[in-house]
Amino acid sequence: MRAISLRNWLSGLLIALPIGYLFLFPELFRCQTVRFSADFVPLAHTPMPVYVQRTTPDSVKKVLVQHITASTGRLRTFWNVPAGKQLAGKAGIIFCTDPETFNRYCGAKAESSAGCSLGAPWGESWLILGPDGNNVDVIAHERCHDELLGRLGWWTVRQEIPQWFNEGLALMVDYRFSPATRNNRERYIRLHDEWLFRGQSGQESIDLQELGTMQDFFSGSPYHVLMAYLASATEVARWLAVSGPDGLTRLMTHLEAGEPFGAAYARLDRKPARSTKNTSPAP
């Protein structure tokens, strides 16, 4: 009787685990099984697995491949990855042509229909692009999130990296708010000017300490999210300008060695800001 009960319990557990996973992480499950979906087809000649909706026109597929290639160049330049060496990010890409499908794969609470990133503790990751996501800025932005994930791992990113740094870093390869330049000082000045303009000359400031989690970052009005992006990008550009050309590489090394983010970030900041609010002068 005991053996039968144990066998029944184990059988029930084996059935419950995948069902529970499906209900708890439906978007990630859909990404993992997208290759079996009749609604999607794979693209060839891409550096990572790319799936597009079957109804995607050939002209759009061609442009998507061009944008993925261009985003690779941005990431290699920013992360200083030499030719012949692979990027750390390994995420597959799913391109959706309508908002409904995008929300099924990204989640109904996605803040836009451009793009989002999904990662799992075991290292698997996916980038979902929506109808507004077929451009270099969005793709490079989402791939930068994945590059950070690939370098540090899911647990370190989740536990150590504040969301403002993750988003600010992604905006260094996303030129929607800043110019396409490798000069971090110039980028900082342009971003700071934009932050002042959008924030009514500093009257609407956001404390970076209030942007530590995804919920903190993306909760509130669209204006709050816009100012969160600008505040984060401005601070990261400032830090990159003063930490030197090897600042990001050294930060990754310290984090990989287990040093807390706050301590490593502050130690490499040769001109620490007086406040966590985005009011620091140009470096």
Side-chain angles (χ1 to χ4, degrees):
M1 290 289 293
R2 197 176 216 175
I4 295 175
S5 298
L6 180 59
R7 191 183 305 119
N8 290 340
W9 181 83
L10 289 174
S11 299
L13 181 63
L14 291 174
I15 295 173
L17 282 176
I19 294 176
Y21 175 75
L22 175 60
F23 279 99
L24 289 173
F25 308 103
E27 293 84 16
L28 189 57
F29 179 79
R30 292 189 187 102
C31 292
Q32 291 175 313
T33 57
V34 66
R35 63 185 182 275
F36 304 118
S37 173
D39 296 329
F40 285 85
V41 294
L43 285 187
H45 310 300
T46 54
M48 75 288 289
V50 178
Y51 296 89
V52 300
Q53 278 189 265
R54 191 175 294 275
T55 55
T56 305
D58 289 340
S59 58
V60 175
K61 294 177 185 176
K62 182 178 179 180
V63 171
L64 178 62
V65 172
Q66 293 172 347
H67 288 160
I68 291 173
T69 302
S71 72
T72 299
R74 288 193 190 183
L75 288 168
R76 284 188 171 279
T77 299
F78 178 70
W79 287 95
N80 195 27
V81 177
K85 186 176 180 180
Q86 296 293 319
L87 290 164
K90 305 297 182 184
I93 294 178
I94 298 173
F95 176 68
C96 307
T97 57
D98 60 82
E100 294 76 20
T101 303
F102 175 76
N103 287 336
R104 289 185 68 246
Y105 280 83
C106 192
K109 294 183 179 180
E111 69 272 8
S112 75
S113 59
C116 75
S117 308
L118 297 178
W122 52 87
E124 186 175 6
S125 55
W126 292 90
L127 310 180
I128 299 90
L129 303 175
D132 301 325
N134 191 3
N135 67 74
V136 184
D137 288 320
V138 172
I139 296 172
H141 183 114
E142 298 302 333
R143 290 186 69 190
C144 193
H145 289 318
D146 184 55
E147 185 67 16
L148 186 65
L149 186 71
R151 288 169 180 265
L152 298 180
W154 181 88
W155 182 254
T156 299
V157 170
R158 184 176 179 86
Q159 294 297 117
E160 284 293 333
I161 305 300
Q163 193 65 23
W164 64 260
F165 181 79
N166 203 338
E167 295 296 342
L169 200 66
L171 284 170
M172 298 302 99
V173 294
D174 174 354
Y175 305 146
R176 285 175 287 182
F177 293 131
S178 65
T181 177
R182 297 183 65 181
N183 187 320
N184 290 311
R185 178 185 173 87
E186 179 185 349
R187 180 185 283 118
Y188 166 80
I189 292 171
R190 293 283 294 274
L191 283 166
H192 192 263
D193 288 345
E194 182 72 10
W195 172 79
L196 286 174
F197 173 74
R198 300 279 187 174
Q200 304 175 46
S201 299
Q203 295 181 39
E204 299 289 341
S205 60
I206 293 181
D207 194 319
L208 294 176
Q209 298 293 338
E210 300 172 356
L211 303 175
T213 67
M214 287 191 67
Q215 183 176 358
D216 295 334
F217 199 99
F218 294 109
S219 64
S221 67
Y223 178 72
H224 167 86
V225 176
L226 171 64
M227 293 306 297
Y229 272 124
L230 283 171
S232 301
T234 304
E235 167 56 19
V236 171
R238 181 202 66 81
W239 183 86
L240 289 171
V242 302
S243 65
D246 63 342
L248 182 59
T249 300
R250 293 170 64 193
L251 178 64
M252 294 298 108
T253 300
H254 292 315
L255 293 173
E256 288 171 355
E259 185 172 352
F261 171 84
Y265 187 85
R267 186 148 54 84
L268 293 169
D269 192 345
R270 296 172 186 168
K271 289 184 180 180
R274 295 181 181 179
S275 168
T276 55
K277 289 188 178 182
N278 210 340
T279 56
S280 56

